[in-house]
Amino acid sequence: MKDVFTPVLLATVLSVAWLPTQASMAHTDNVTVGKSSSWQSADTQQTWTSGTVVRVSVERGKVTIEHGPIKNLEMMAMTMPFTVADASLLEGLAAGDKIEFVASMNGDELVVVDLRRPAG
């Protein structure tokens, strides 16, 4: 009986000692590879994109922008309408204005969450 009990006990002890090490390594690999996690703040994921305002529709809460590549959304340069997260972003905005903006996805909808006019 002792001959069977010792290997089983040893295997159990080794596997219990091994699990926390593997969990720690999995977390480290996730961070090292740079995969985003839900704990990251929105600020760390903001990507500013340059563009030119084509049209502003205050009543619809939309702005059409001719923009460069939007890296955080893996989107190529094009001209398209965006909904704005806050209507105040459209105040004083007119066709032809050079802007920088941050866009994100809200379900299937592209949303401008921040907008500024570049200095200069």
Side-chain angles (χ1 to χ4, degrees):
M1 177 81 168
K2 184 178 180 183
D3 292 334
V4 174
F5 181 71
T6 302
V8 171
L9 180 63
L10 181 60
T12 303
V13 169
L14 289 176
S15 65
V16 169
W18 178 73
L19 286 174
T21 305
Q22 292 305 306
S24 172
M25 287 176 64
H27 176 70
T28 302
D29 288 346
N30 187 33
V31 173
T32 302
V33 173
K35 295 179 183 176
S36 64
S37 339
S38 58
W39 60 266
Q40 290 180 324
S41 73
D43 293 339
T44 62
Q45 297 175 354
Q46 283 193 347
T47 302
W48 289 92
T49 303
S50 297
T52 303
V53 175
V54 175
R55 180 180 11 219
V56 178
S57 177
V58 175
E59 60 280 351
R60 293 181 56 213
K62 293 194 177 275
V63 59
T64 301
I65 305 171
E66 180 183 341
H67 61 80
I70 303 175
K71 294 178 184 175
N72 61 309
L73 299 178
E74 298 179 2
M75 183 179 292
M76 63 184 190
M78 64 181 79
T79 300
M80 61 186 301
F82 292 85
T83 300
V84 291
D86 183 351
S88 68
L89 293 173
L90 299 177
E91 290 177 11
L93 205 58
D97 287 351
K98 301 290 184 197
I99 61 168
E100 294 176 334
F101 65 99
V102 177
S104 68
M105 293 296 294
N106 183 10
D108 292 336
E109 185 175 45
L110 288 164
V111 179
V112 171
V113 295
D114 205 353
L115 186 141
R116 65 186 180 199
R117 288 173 182 81

